[in-house]
Amino acid sequence: MTVTTTGRTQVGARPAALPAARRRPRLPFSPWHLLLAPLAALFAVPLLWLLLSSFMSNAEINRFPPALWPSGVDLGGYRYVLGNAMFPRWLLNSAIVSAVAVASNLVFGTLGGYAFARMRFAGSRVLLVLMLATMVVPFQLTMIPTFLVMKKLGLIDTLGALIVPALVTPFAVFLLRQFFLSLPRELEEAAWIDGCSRLRVLYAIVLPLARPALATVAVLTFLTTWNDLTWPLIAINHDTQYTLQLGLTTFQGQHHTRWSAVMAGNVITVLPVLLAFLFAQKAFIRSITSSGLKG
């Protein structure tokens, strides 16, 4: 570089350093955190208030203006919930329905997604479009036909009425199909040359690479099934078959509601959901970024 000063030419001179005022300060974190941190705190406020309210007495919860902080630790709500003879049964019912729904969606979603991603058969595109079209149909339109089908099968007022409609969802098939499409075919072709069958290739080659997508399907299916209230409210009549969400509604009466028990029960109900999401959040992000569902 050539710089001219007072009629003389200096070769190889370095440019002067930028003034301190023009230098950009470097943050120790991403600038997006300045926006995301307040939003995260805003969304965490209801959960925090739910947790604090679970340690309040009924008088504190019903007081106006409402108390934002408990005056002391009152475990009456937790004693009432955990002392309810039916609560362990409700918890077991929810666990059974959610576990079966997660396992079946992983199995059937994998088979269906792989078939749509790698196999070409008559009417495959039409079936795919019809399957995706069912995702935009609200549950309220299919609720009565589903009830009639379950009644014909003799499953009303049993856990089977909650399990059968949730065995496989179009979203699970679609998400896994998108992930399988992102995998290179060369890996599968090499296994076919070695004599592996299609199911062997799916089990030994594809599924180990699809762990992020499988974790995402498992978490979303668990969240949907665990938190479902509308369908159990319609299909279940006897309290021994209640799920946890349906059982918590019994704490709310027409004339009197045990709000401390409601808050404590909701804390216990939300805890598995939070743990499931925290353990699977990295796999969830990897699946979304690699399955073509971005933006």
Side-chain angles (χ1 to χ4, degrees):
M1 181 177 181
T2 303
V3 179
T4 304
T5 54
T6 63
R8 296 183 179 181
T9 302
Q10 298 181 0
V11 179
R14 295 181 179 178
L18 292 175
R22 296 178 57 186
R23 295 178 184 174
R24 285 187 175 183
R26 303 188 66 179
L27 298 175
F29 50 83
S30 172
W32 281 104
H33 290 175
L34 298 175
L35 174 64
L36 297 178
L39 289 177
L42 181 63
F43 282 103
V45 167
L47 292 176
L48 179 60
W49 190 82
L50 173 66
L51 178 62
L52 294 176
S53 299
S54 66
F55 295 106
M56 296 181 185
S57 62
N58 286 324
E60 281 187 290
I61 297 177
N62 293 324
R63 189 175 64 187
F64 186 83
L68 300 179
W69 192 268
S71 59
V73 178
D74 190 326
L75 300 179
Y78 288 96
R79 293 193 189 98
Y80 183 85
V81 171
L82 298 178
N84 191 308
M86 298 303 300
F87 186 81
R89 181 63 181 266
W90 299 340
L91 184 62
L92 179 62
N93 291 341
S94 291
I96 292 174
V97 173
S98 300
V100 174
V102 168
S104 63
N105 271 272
L106 290 178
V107 173
F108 297 128
T110 297
L111 296 175
Y114 186 75
F116 281 120
R118 290 292 190 256
M119 301 174 63
R120 292 294 178 263
F121 51 90
S124 60
R125 293 187 179 275
V126 176
L127 287 177
L128 178 62
V129 172
L130 291 177
M131 182 196 69
L132 295 179
T134 61
M135 296 176 62
V136 302
V137 178
F139 174 71
Q140 289 76 8
L141 293 181
T142 61
M143 185 169 54
I144 295 178
T146 304
F147 179 85
L148 295 177
V149 171
M150 293 300 105
K151 185 178 180 181
K152 288 291 185 181
L153 295 176
L155 297 178
I156 293 298
D157 204 18
T158 66
L159 294 183
L162 308 181
I163 293 175
V164 172
L167 286 178
V168 62
T169 60
F171 180 78
V173 177
F174 174 66
L175 179 64
L176 291 171
R177 172 188 178 271
Q178 294 299 106
F179 190 89
F180 293 149
L181 288 176
S182 66
L183 298 178
R185 288 178 175 267
E186 288 76 8
L187 296 175
E188 302 169 51
E189 293 173 353
W192 292 337
I193 293 175
D194 291 339
C196 291
S197 63
R198 192 176 291 274
L199 286 178
R200 177 69 176 177
V201 170
L202 175 62
Y203 173 76
I205 306 297
V206 177
L207 288 186
L209 299 175
R211 289 176 182 174
L214 295 175
T216 301
V217 170
V219 170
L220 294 180
T221 304
F222 175 78
L223 295 181
T224 303
T225 310
W226 183 269
N227 293 324
D228 190 18
L229 174 62
T230 304
W231 178 240
L233 189 62
I234 297 172
I236 302 299
N237 300 319
H238 201 272
D239 58 355
T240 58
Q241 304 299 322
Y242 281 2
T243 59
L244 196 55
Q245 297 289 347
L246 188 56
L248 291 179
T249 61
T250 61
F251 298 155
Q252 303 181 34
Q254 183 177 1
H255 303 289
H256 179 68
T257 298
R258 294 179 175 269
W259 287 113
S260 60
V262 172
M263 297 300 179
N266 279 293
V267 169
I268 298 174
T269 304
V270 169
L271 188 59
V273 175
L274 292 177
L275 293 177
F277 182 77
L278 289 177
F279 280 114
Q281 60 177 337
K282 292 184 178 180
F284 179 82
I285 295 173
R286 287 200 304 267
S287 173
I288 294 301
T289 56
S290 60
S291 62
L293 297 179
K294 297 179 290 182

